[in-house]
Amino acid sequence: MRYVCPWDEWVSTPDVMDSSGPAESRRVVVTGASGDVGTALLRARPADWSVIGLARRIPSGPPYQDIQWRRCDLGSARATEVLADTLAGADAVVHLAWAINPTTREPPMERTNDEGTDRVLNAVVAAGVPQVVCLSSVAAYRPPPRWQEVTEDWPCDGVHGSAYSRGKARLERQLTEFAAAHPDIAVTTLRPCAIVSRAAGGQFTRWLLSPLLPGSLVGRRWFPLPLWRELRAQVVHAEDVADALVRVVRGRAGGPFNLAAGPPLNAAQLAEAIGGWRLPVPRTAVLGAAELTARTGVQPVHQGWLRLADQAALADTSRAHRELAWQPAWSAAAALAELAAGIRLGIGTGSAPLAPDPPRGPVARWREINWGGASRQG
């Protein structure tokens, strides 16, 4: 079937005010505000926004100290009560919370993503919020021909073998049904490609690298990157996604918008941007090695992520350029170089998801491996 989108305790500090004088404040609730995109949005938020951030773990330090926070696990039954209280009087809800690559010790992905999104959408209706903006992904699209760039009407059937893609395809169905049932609410879906930033260096280290490999090796010219010849990819900087979020909330633009920076990068260009050298390896060999090592706990990348990287749709971003006047400030190569620097330097923030990767010795790294069992949910 073809699915396409139509169209606890308060932790408070004073809101940021515009130095030119008081303005009518817009109350914006952001779920997942402590993640990479949420952090970028907090930095980019206009002075007339009064932001309330929801997160399972309250972050500390800049840029988190200048907004109100409420602790909320969207997958728990108590979230309904917290959301009802928090969304009262909100002008917009920006739903960013999503379990992307959780460890096996964290709540199940479906609990956070499916049930959590249901709770958010139900709370939007109950509170009478006029706008909801959700972060989806190009991962929701059905794989097109390899180098074809697709517009927002491409079917959202997902990529076979990718749990992340299946989850985003389900999100698209949820939003399609929600928008049809509530035409009075402006529903906006952003579909970015892979989102990267320097601030997420520690997070990507945990997502991509075996504990046996220090992040300080990434970006070294001699560091091998096993990339198959047919690989191509798009990336976008978290700051540019945050800019698009501000634009859709300000203009109440509805419907789906693709987001990506510049032309797609091929395997050689990806290696050059990251800073290593491309080790030519057949795709089947990379998939097989990933499956074996992920299941035995040696490294965290399940082969589903590699299948997604191989088959993910390339995004045509004409609609965002035309209707939002959105232009990415970061090129794809520059954004990837920033991520590589973040991984190499162990960059992070005072948010649990974005915590820097701590320095440790070989023995401690060896003990981190979950020998005989996957470390991440597949």
Side-chain angles (χ1 to χ4, degrees):
M1 184 174 182
R2 176 178 173 139
Y3 290 102
V4 186
C5 276
W7 71 43
D8 308 62
E9 290 295 323
W10 286 103
V11 181
S12 308
T13 54
D15 292 335
V16 176
M17 296 300 294
D18 189 337
S19 60
S20 63
E24 184 178 352
S25 181
R26 179 173 298 190
R27 182 181 172 93
V28 180
V29 177
V30 182
T31 73
S34 61
D36 191 19
V37 176
T39 299
L41 180 59
L42 297 185
R43 292 192 174 110
R45 70 190 187 278
D48 62 343
W49 281 22
S50 173
V51 175
I52 302 91
L54 273 69
R56 281 199 299 130
R57 295 158 292 188
I58 304 301
S60 60
Y64 309 109
Q65 77 276 24
D66 291 329
I67 71 165
Q68 295 177 326
W69 285 96
R70 194 147 195 205
R71 186 173 288 106
C72 183
D73 178 356
L74 295 180
S76 70
R78 187 173 180 273
T80 299
E81 176 186 344
V82 178
L83 286 166
D85 184 41
T86 308
L87 268 59
D91 297 295
V93 170
V94 178
H95 180 41
L96 305 177
W98 195 266
I100 295 178
N101 195 15
T103 67
T104 53
R105 299 184 300 273
E106 293 182 274
M109 287 186 288
E110 294 81 1
R111 175 184 179 273
T112 300
N113 300 343
D114 300 351
E115 297 175 25
T117 297
D118 272 337
R119 288 192 174 96
V120 170
L121 295 178
N122 290 337
V124 164
V125 175
V129 181
Q131 181 182 22
V132 59
V133 183
C134 291
L135 191 67
S136 184
S137 170
V138 296
Y141 287 128
R142 174 192 301 171
R146 181 163 292 274
W147 287 96
Q148 177 180 335
E149 295 185 5
V150 303
T151 55
E152 288 81 358
D153 58 353
W154 191 258
C156 291
D157 298 331
V159 175
H160 178 71
S162 167
Y164 179 75
S165 177
R166 289 198 306 270
K168 289 300 186 180
R170 287 195 299 270
L171 172 65
E172 293 285 349
R173 293 195 289 272
Q174 283 177 289
L175 296 176
T176 296
E177 294 166 2
F178 180 83
H182 303 283
D184 55 321
I185 298 176
V187 180
T188 313
T189 310
L190 295 188
R191 296 176 185 159
C193 56
I195 303 171
V196 299
S197 76
R198 177 183 286 244
Q203 184 177 60
F204 272 88
T205 298
R206 293 183 288 276
W207 282 355
L208 299 178
L209 296 184
S210 167
L212 299 177
L213 290 176
S216 58
L217 302 180
V218 173
R220 309 292 182 183
R221 283 295 169 188
W222 50 264
F223 187 69
L225 297 169
L227 305 176
W228 54 99
R229 181 176 56 84
E230 305 88 353
L231 181 63
R232 78 287 181 273
Q234 288 176 310
V235 298
V236 65
H237 199 286
E239 291 177 1
D240 287 320
V241 178
D243 177 59
L245 286 166
V246 170
R247 290 171 185 271
V248 298
V249 172
R250 275 179 164 168
R252 292 196 65 190
F257 292 92
N258 289 339
L259 301 176
L265 302 177
N266 60 31
Q269 292 168 328
L270 288 167
E272 182 179 1
I274 295 170
W277 64 279
R278 185 174 83 86
L279 175 63
V281 180
R283 179 178 53 213
T284 53
V286 178
L287 291 174
E291 177 71 8
L292 176 63
T293 52
R295 287 186 179 275
T296 55
V298 175
Q299 60 85 31
V301 182
H302 186 275
Q303 71 161 251
W305 286 105
L306 301 178
R307 292 186 182 279
L308 177 59
D310 184 60
Q311 300 180 50
L314 300 177
D316 180 320
T317 58
S318 299
R319 183 173 190 237
H321 299 325
R322 182 176 63 252
E323 299 186 22
L324 302 178
W326 178 80
Q327 291 289 342
W330 292 84
S331 70
L336 268 180
E338 278 286 292
L339 173 62
I343 294 174
R344 184 172 60 254
L345 300 173
I347 301 297
T349 73
S351 157
L354 301 183
D357 191 49
R360 56 218 186 272
V363 174
R365 290 181 176 278
W366 181 269
R367 289 173 177 170
E368 286 181 27
I369 295 179
N370 183 29
W371 295 104
S375 61
R376 298 273 164 176
Q377 296 179 34

